[in-house]
Structure formats: C-alpha cells, structure tokens
Amino acid sequence: MNVQKHAWSKEDLARRLCHALDIARQALEHLAQEGYTDPEEPGNSVRPEKLVSETAFFLLAASTAADGSEVRERIEGVAQLLIPHARSERMLLGLCLHPALALDYAQAHICLTRLGFPDAGFDALLRQSVGAQARAGRERVPHRMLEQEWITAVWENPGPGSHLRTPPAALDSVLNQPMDLLNGSREDIYAFTHALMYVRDFNIRPRRLPRRRTEILAEAEAALARCLDEQDYDLGGEVLLTWPLTGKSWSPASVFAFRVLAQVEDRAGFLPASSTRLARLAKLEGEARTCYLLATAYHTAYVMGLLCAAALQAGRTPPLKLPKGKTAAVQGSGTLVLRFLDADKNKDADARSGHWRGELEQLTYPERDAIAGLLLNIALRRKASRGEFDALRELLKLAYSCGLSNTPAASQAAEMLERLATYASITGAPKAAAKSRADVGAVGNPSIHVTREIRG
C-alpha cells in the first residue's frame, strides 16, 4: 500500500507553514520594536522580548521542514528581520543586568545560531553572564527549568542527535505525573505541552520521555478533547504536537482534531485566538487594527505553523482519513456517547455548536466509533465541571458497557465518585451521593482497573 497516497497533502502543510511564516514577518515589522500595549485588555499586551523569542523558536521548529524552497526562503527572510532585534542593545543590556535571566534574553540569539546565523560578540557576553554569581538566582517551576535546560543544550550542542537521556527537570514535570483531566487549569496543559516541546526538541535532538508514550498520549487525548470543546485552538494546536513529536502514528482523535483546526483556519484565513474580539477589531482601522490583530493572533498562527512543520517531518504526516482505533469499542459507541452529550443541549448550546461538531457530522458511523473515546472525554469533563455527579456515574456505566472506560479521565472520574461517597459518609450528605461507591463497583470499578492498565 502506498502510505503517502493516503496521507495529508504535504503541499497543503507547506502552504499553511508558509502562511504562518508570513504572519511572523508582519509581526516583526509591526511589533518587534516596541511591542504592543492594550489599555482596554492588558492581557493582550506583548513585550518585544516575548515576540522575538517566540519568533525565533518558531523559525527553529520550521527549519525541520525546510526542504521546500518556499519554506527555506521564508525562514531566511524572517531570520534576517529578526537578527537586529534578537541581538539589540536591549537584549545585550539584559545580559549585563540580569544574569539569572541570561538564557531568556539569549534564546533568540541561540536559536539563530543553530539556524546558521552566529554572533561571537553576543556569545562572549552571554558566557560572562551565565558565569556570574547570580546566574541561578531565579526560582522556576519544572517546565521553565526544562526550558533553561533546552536552551543550554541548543547552545552547547547545535548539531542533530537522538536517544539522549531524559532531562533531569522532566522527572519533576507534569510529563512524569498524571494531569488533573477533570478540574485542572489551562496552565497545567500549557506546562504539559511546553515540557514536551523542550524534551523532544522538535525531533532535532530528542530526549527520552520520562514516562511511557502510551500514558502521555492518553492524557494528551483528554486535554485535546477539552481544547476542542472550548474552541481553544492555541492550546489545542500545542496538544496536537504530542503525536508527531513522540511517534509516527496519529490516533483517530488527533486526526479528527487536526481536521477541525485546518477547517477553522481555512474559513477564518488564520487560526483564530480566543483573545481576538471581532467586535472590537471591526471598530479599528489602519495601523491600530493591524497591530491589535497581530498581537492577539500571532501566537495561534505560530502554533499552527509549529504543527505543520512537525507534520512535514519524515513519517510524521497525518493520514487523510481517520485510522481505526486501537481500543475495542463496541459498535455504535460513538452514537451512544453523542446522545449523552446531546442531552445537554439546553444547558450548553454554545458547546454543542462548536466547530468540532460540524466536522463530526461529516463522519461515517464507524468513524464516530473510532473517536468515541474523544467524545467520552468531552462528556466526562462537562459533567465533572458542572458537579453533575449522578450523570457522571451514568456516563461511566455507559463507558464501561462500550469498552471505553480504560482511560485516565474515566479513572479519575471514578476516583472522584469514590471520594464523594466518603465525603457523604463523613458529612451526612444526601444518600444519593453515598450510592456512588456501590455504583462505581457495579461498573467494574474503572478507577482501579484503569489505574492498573494505564499507570502500570
């Protein structure tokens, strides 16, 4: 069988990557000098250093797909625009004054060096700064420690390699610990995606994962379901990187999600960010409109570019059609879970009208069965976040009967019901809550079963 014949068009992936690189050029032209300040919504403000670093990171990832002349030419053109900002007096002064932030100020320089644009003077000052007494004077969370380790590795080992040891900080990161898939924060998923990118280095010098790939992918699928349901394509695109960065096979859920993002990008002209307010955008004109749009949407455009670059690597391209799922789900399970979701139509009409739902309508019934686990993850989080625990219990029963309960999210939901039963016995809560322990046992106690299956 000719696998490439059934893969996503590489020409289309390259086109999307080039589009993101064109946005990078515009972002540098309009925002790299002074950044962007939003007096109405301060969260939209962008510091020049942030834009410069993220653009360099994007260029480095895009370089893994630079076989095509159009991609290569764009990378070189954007790099030339980036160089004066990456090595500006502002960055040099940052090295002098803040040795604990030396690698942060130098990230764009280091990425450019790996791309073939070195600067000996900047390197000399950087070495002085990282050798200063205060070089370790900044406390960092694990995924930020991984970022520092990654930048150092890129600086010291610019050439390609593979099968290196697991970075020490990865052992303390969320990559090595189960995420809270039902009530965790967006920042938790952000930490997961960034830790993964730093460990895998876009397959240039990939390090070993701290846990089994199957465990990481199972959690990524639950996080992906949340992002699709909330139409958070910035974070959803980062989660999708899990598949091309950890292996060569895409799951049915990941292929479905990629199709959703591609369709949304085609309709909007770029992958939209939740921070871009269309009503406000419509009132702006000229430079103000351009800067607002770039400041609020450039990062999501970069994420789509990162995803397409990873998908263009040899053997990492997603298939056109949804592959058969490895989980032995019962025939018709997709329809059954979807009916459960549809019962929410009066409670969550916005979620039901999400872009993923339109793409789902294009699927055959066997294809719906293939992504039944993704649909289950959406339903589990909705019920848990609303505190609808009776419905959560019924959903677990359905999952067990459909062969879908061996997942981290189902396990965590069952554990939650067990805790609620204990809570009810302590506080004298309604008897209905106390039934949770018996009902969970009646469906095979997925928390115990899944813990053994997923976590070993």
Side-chain angles (χ1 to χ4, degrees):
M1 179 184 295
N2 184 352
V3 177
Q4 290 301 318
K5 181 179 179 182
H6 302 283
W8 196 282
S9 164
K10 290 199 171 185
E11 289 75 16
D12 182 69
L13 294 172
R15 175 185 65 81
R16 296 178 190 277
L17 175 54
C18 286
H19 180 55
L21 288 166
D22 289 341
I23 292 175
R25 172 181 283 276
Q26 294 178 54
L28 289 177
E29 291 173 343
H30 292 273
L31 305 178
Q33 189 65 39
E34 299 181 0
Y36 179 77
T37 301
D38 191 332
E40 295 185 23
E41 297 179 79
N44 291 336
S45 299
V46 178
R47 293 179 294 103
E49 297 92 341
K50 180 176 186 292
L51 173 67
V52 168
S53 293
E54 290 178 343
T55 303
F57 185 83
F58 172 36
L59 290 183
L60 184 58
S63 70
T64 64
D67 292 340
S69 59
E70 290 187 1
V71 173
R72 184 170 57 254
E73 289 172 2
R74 280 175 168 80
I75 290 174
E76 292 177 356
V78 176
Q80 292 296 340
L81 276 178
L82 183 63
I83 287 172
H85 299 291
R87 293 158 178 161
S88 65
E89 290 187 14
R90 185 188 188 111
M91 296 296 192
L92 291 166
L93 187 59
L95 293 182
C96 294
L97 301 179
H98 306 286
L101 299 176
L103 293 175
D104 301 87
Y105 279 105
Q107 178 176 316
H109 156 75
I110 291 170
C111 289
L112 285 166
T113 298
R114 181 186 265 187
L115 288 170
F117 302 96
D119 186 296
F122 198 104
D123 261 348
L125 182 57
L126 175 57
R127 292 193 183 282
Q128 281 187 287
S129 190
V130 297
Q133 296 178 44
R135 63 186 180 278
R138 172 63 64 96
E139 190 76 18
R140 300 175 192 268
V141 295
H143 78 278
R144 290 302 183 193
M145 291 173 64
L146 265 174
E147 181 182 35
Q148 295 289 295
E149 290 180 7
W150 171 77
I151 297 172
T152 301
V154 173
W155 187 31
E156 296 177 347
N157 303 288
S162 62
H163 304 298
L164 303 175
R165 65 186 178 88
T166 302
L171 300 176
D172 297 322
S173 76
V174 70
L175 278 183
N176 200 33
Q177 303 292 335
M179 281 190 290
D180 183 349
L181 300 172
L182 301 177
N183 289 310
S185 69
R186 187 179 187 275
E187 286 70 26
D188 295 332
I189 303 177
Y190 177 91
F192 172 89
T193 61
H194 281 244
L196 180 68
M197 284 187 269
Y198 300 138
V199 170
R200 299 304 292 172
D201 190 24
F202 284 91
N203 297 323
I204 300 171
R205 291 182 65 86
R207 304 287 188 101
R208 293 185 185 276
L209 296 167
R211 279 193 294 164
R212 289 183 298 174
R213 177 176 176 270
T214 52
E215 297 176 18
I216 291 173
L217 288 173
E219 291 187 13
E221 191 158 307
L224 183 61
R226 169 180 173 172
C227 294
L228 285 181
D229 202 37
E230 295 179 352
Q231 300 188 126
D232 187 344
Y233 302 129
D234 194 328
L235 193 56
E238 290 188 7
V239 174
L240 265 179
L241 280 165
T242 309
W243 280 266
L245 292 188
T246 63
K248 297 184 179 181
S249 60
W250 290 64
S251 70
S254 63
V255 173
F256 174 76
F258 186 79
R259 284 165 56 167
V260 172
L261 265 62
Q263 288 292 328
V264 171
E265 182 185 42
D266 288 342
R267 291 172 190 165
F270 61 96
L271 195 61
S274 57
S275 57
T276 305
R277 311 297 180 192
L278 296 181
R280 184 177 172 193
L281 181 65
K283 297 177 182 178
L284 298 174
E285 298 179 351
E287 183 70 6
R289 176 186 174 89
T290 299
C291 289
Y292 172 76
L293 183 58
L294 287 170
T296 57
Y298 84 88
H299 188 271
T300 310
Y302 284 13
V303 167
M304 192 63 177
L306 294 173
L307 184 55
C308 290
L312 279 165
Q313 294 175 14
R316 312 282 168 152
T317 307
L320 274 175
K321 294 184 178 181
L322 271 64
K324 293 182 179 180
K326 294 182 179 180
T327 303
V330 172
Q331 184 177 359
S333 56
T335 299
L336 290 173
V337 179
L338 193 59
R339 286 175 183 168
F340 201 99
L341 278 168
D342 283 348
D344 292 340
K345 63 183 179 181
N346 294 325
K347 301 175 184 177
D348 209 344
D350 290 340
R352 282 198 68 241
S353 62
H355 297 118
W356 69 263
R357 188 56 190 262
E359 187 63 29
L360 182 138
E361 298 298 334
Q362 307 301 315
L363 301 183
T364 64
Y365 286 107
E367 287 176 326
R368 294 186 185 193
D369 290 344
I371 64 164
L374 179 75
L375 300 176
L376 175 66
N377 283 325
I378 291 174
L380 286 170
R381 188 171 187 282
R382 285 191 195 176
K383 296 305 178 186
S385 63
R386 294 187 190 130
E388 297 176 1
F389 303 121
D390 285 338
L392 186 63
R393 186 169 57 246
E394 293 303 315
L395 183 58
L396 280 179
K397 289 182 180 179
L398 174 61
Y400 186 77
S401 67
C402 290
L404 299 171
S405 61
N406 289 346
T407 66
S411 174
Q412 291 184 19
E415 288 178 342
M416 179 183 290
L417 292 180
E418 290 179 329
R419 293 193 300 272
L420 285 168
T422 302
Y423 163 82
S425 66
I426 294 172
T427 63
K431 292 182 179 180
K435 287 180 60 185
S436 294
R437 189 185 305 278
D439 285 344
V440 169
V443 300
N445 202 341
S447 68
I448 296 175
H449 181 66
V450 175
T451 298
R452 290 174 179 168
E453 179 69 19
I454 297 295
R455 299 177 195 166

